[in-house]
Amino acid sequence: MTVAEQFNTIDVPDDAKALRRIVWSSVIGTAVEWYDFLIYGAATALVFNKVFFAAGGDAGLATIAAFGTYAVGFLARPLGAAIFGHYGDRVGRKAMLAITIMVMGIGTFLIGLLPTYAQIGIAAPILLVVLRFLQGIGLGGEWGGAVLMVVENAPTHRRGFLGSMVQVGNPVGNLAAIGMFALVSQLPEDDFMSWGWRIPFLLSILLVGVGLWIRLSMEETPAFRTLKAKNEVAKMPIVEIFKYHRRPFFTAVGLKISEIAYASIAGVFIMSYATSRLGLSRGLVLNGAFIASFVALFSIPLFGWLSDKIGRKTMFYASCIFSALFAFPMFWLLDTKDPTIVILTIVAAISFGQMVMFGIGAPWYSELFTAKLRYSGASLGFQVGAAISGGLSPLIAASLMAWAGGATWPVSVFLIVCALITATATFMAPETANKELT
C-alpha cells in the first residue's frame, strides 16, 4: 500500500474526515510558523551580515556576528517550550497554538521594518536580536502543540506516519521562504539590499492571519480532555519532568542533536560557504535548498510510514550512519563547484541527514512522555536539543573554519561527533512504534 493510500484509508469514515482535517490544519499552521522562522536563516546568510553588522570591513567577522543572531532564535526556543509547554499541559493544546502564531508573526513582521546599521547604528543589531528572540519564543511553544494535535488523535499503527505529516510544514514553509527570497533576489543588487529583502518578512503578516483562523477552528485533543475530566492535569509539568522523567527528557535532547546540526550546516551555513568562499551564485544555492525542500514534501511522510513498519530506532540508526559517513564528502563535492553536483549534495545532506530524523522525531518525542507531561516534555526535549546544536552550528562552523584557516575538516568532525551523540541516544531510547500511548 502506498503512503497516499495509507493516509486516505482510516478505518471509520467520519473519523477519517475529522483526522484529515486535523492533520492538514496542523500542517498549514506549522508551515506559517516555519516560514516566519526560516526566512531569517536565508536573510542571515545573504543580507544581515552586510546591512546590520559593521566589522571593520572584515566579511568573516560580520558573517560570524550575523550567525550569532541566528543562534539567538534557537536559544530562545527552550524558553518558549517551557512557557507554552507549561500552559499547554495545564490549559490545553489549542489555546497555545493560537498565541504562538501571533507571537511569531509580530516578530517577523517587525524585522521587515527595521532600520539598518547605517541608519541607526548599534541599535539596529540590538533590535534584530530582540525580534529574533521573540521568533524563537513563538516557535519553541508552537511545535509541541501542533504535533500533539495529530499524535493524540492518530491510530496507534499509523502514528509515525500521521505524526510525521506535521513536519511537512517545515519544507512547505521553507519552500515559501526560499521562493520569496529567490524572487526578490532577481532585483538589482542595490534594490535587493535596500528594500527587496524586506518583502518576505512583511508578507508574513498575511500568512499569520490565515494560520490563526485555521487554528481557532481546531478542537482540543481527546487525551487532554480526558485529563481535564479526571482532574489529573499536572500542576508543575516541568518540575515533574526533571524530578521523575529525566531519562526520556535527556534522550529526546540527544535524539535532536545530529538532525538539527545537519539542518543548520546544510541549510544555512552552506549558503554562506558556497557564495562567499566558493564564489557560487546566490541563485544556485537557493535552488539546491528549494529542491531539497520539495523532495522533503514526499520523503518525510515516507520516512514516517517506514518507521511504523520497521521501527523508529532502525530509521534513526540509518540516518546517523549516513550523517557520519557524508560529513567529509559533503564539502569535497561542494568544492567541485559543479552546479549539478552542488545541488545534489545539498539535497542528499538535507534529505538523509536531517529529514529522516526530523519527520520521525515528531511522534517519537511525544511517545516518550505520559499525557499530562507530553506538551512540556516533547517540546522542551526538542527545543533544548535544537538550541544546543542547531542554533550554534553555523556559528561553530564559521568559527572552526576561521580557526583552521578556511579548511572545512573541523566542520566535518563536528558533524560526526553530533551523529555519534544521536546514535547513543537512539540506543538508550525505547522502541515505541505500534505501542499505545501512555
Side-chain angles (χ1 to χ4, degrees):
M1 183 176 287
T2 66
V3 174
E5 289 171 335
Q6 282 280 327
F7 185 65
N8 287 297
T9 56
I10 307 298
D11 301 324
V12 182
D14 290 341
D15 290 347
K17 183 177 180 181
L19 185 54
R20 281 196 292 269
R21 185 173 65 251
I22 290 169
V23 171
W24 290 118
S25 296
S26 294
V27 170
I28 294 170
T30 304
V32 173
E33 294 269 9
W34 279 114
Y35 169 85
D36 285 352
F37 195 76
L38 293 170
I39 55 173
Y40 193 100
T44 298
L46 303 175
V47 180
F48 290 167
N49 58 329
K50 300 172 183 175
V51 302
F52 284 114
F53 298 94
D58 190 323
L61 288 179
T63 298
I64 290 173
F67 281 138
T69 68
Y70 175 79
V72 167
F74 282 85
L75 296 175
R77 283 164 63 170
L79 179 58
I83 294 171
F84 290 104
H86 173 83
Y87 289 103
D89 281 328
R90 287 192 52 78
V91 178
R93 299 19 174 158
K94 175 182 174 179
M96 298 306 104
L97 288 175
I99 296 172
T100 54
I101 200 169
M102 290 190 292
V103 170
M104 174 68 83
I106 291 171
T108 304
F109 180 75
L110 291 177
I111 288 174
L113 299 176
L114 272 184
T116 65
Y117 185 94
Q119 294 171 318
I120 61 172
I122 192 65
I126 291 175
L127 290 172
L128 183 66
V129 168
V130 171
L131 293 175
R132 179 58 173 173
F133 192 83
L134 190 63
Q135 278 191 320
I137 293 286
L139 186 63
E142 185 273 345
W143 178 86
V147 169
L148 295 192
M149 290 298 291
V150 174
V151 168
E152 293 185 338
N153 280 287
T156 300
H157 62 292
R158 292 177 185 166
R159 200 165 56 235
F161 169 65
L162 294 174
S164 72
M165 286 291 294
V166 181
Q167 303 292 64
V168 172
N170 176 279
V172 170
N174 204 27
L175 283 170
I178 294 170
M180 283 302 304
F181 259 96
L183 186 62
V184 297
S185 68
Q186 302 302 310
L187 292 167
E189 185 69 14
D190 289 344
D191 290 340
F192 173 75
M193 296 303 296
S194 62
W195 57 267
W197 67 267
R198 299 177 184 275
I199 294 174
F201 289 89
L202 298 176
L203 286 178
S204 70
I205 200 69
L206 301 177
L207 300 178
V208 167
V210 174
L212 181 61
W213 176 76
I214 289 172
R215 289 193 162 169
L216 289 175
S217 67
M218 298 172 72
E219 296 183 2
E220 190 53 79
T221 69
F224 184 78
R225 291 200 303 267
T226 300
L227 286 173
K228 201 79 170 175
K230 293 182 177 180
N231 197 28
E232 295 179 354
V233 174
K235 294 182 178 179
M236 295 295 292
I238 294 177
V239 173
E240 291 193 35
I241 287 169
F242 285 104
K243 192 172 182 179
Y244 304 112
H245 301 272
R246 289 187 295 272
R247 177 166 176 163
F249 168 74
F250 286 111
T251 298
V253 172
L255 291 173
K256 187 67 179 172
I257 296 296
S258 181
E259 171 253 304
I260 197 67
Y262 251 86
S264 297
I265 299 298
V268 177
F269 175 75
I270 279 179
M271 286 190 182
S272 175
Y273 175 76
T275 55
S276 301
R277 296 275 181 170
L278 302 181
L280 299 175
S281 69
R282 211 166 41 216
L284 174 65
V285 182
L286 287 171
N287 284 340
F290 190 89
I291 294 171
S293 292
F294 181 79
V295 171
L297 295 176
F298 306 96
S299 64
I300 287 176
L302 174 62
F303 296 144
W305 177 76
L306 284 172
S307 78
D308 282 331
K309 301 299 181 183
I310 64 177
R312 320 285 193 239
K313 292 170 77 78
T314 300
M315 296 295 292
F316 258 68
Y317 279 134
S319 186
C320 286
I321 291 170
F322 169 86
S323 299
L325 294 179
F326 198 64
F328 278 95
M330 178 170 66
F331 287 101
W332 299 338
L333 293 169
L334 290 172
D335 289 346
T336 66
K337 300 183 183 180
D338 181 276
T340 302
I341 293 176
V342 168
I343 289 175
L344 290 176
T345 300
I346 293 173
V347 171
I350 292 176
S351 296
F352 301 110
Q354 178 194 4
M355 292 304 174
V356 174
M357 292 184 274
F358 181 71
I360 299 167
W364 204 9
Y365 301 144
S366 306
E367 292 162 342
L368 295 176
F369 299 92
T370 186
K372 71 175 185 177
L373 304 176
R374 192 168 289 139
Y375 200 135
S376 296
S379 293
L380 204 57
F382 181 97
Q383 303 302 351
V384 169
I388 292 173
S389 182
L392 297 178
S393 289
L395 181 61
I396 290 171
S399 301
L400 287 174
M401 280 190 60
W403 169 77
T408 59
W409 66 264
V411 183
S412 298
V413 172
F414 170 72
L415 289 173
I416 292 171
V417 171
C418 290
L420 291 174
I421 292 172
T422 294
T424 303
T426 302
F427 176 77
M428 300 297 293
E431 178 58 74
T432 55
N434 298 306
K435 294 181 180 179
E436 294 293 335
L437 285 176
T438 56

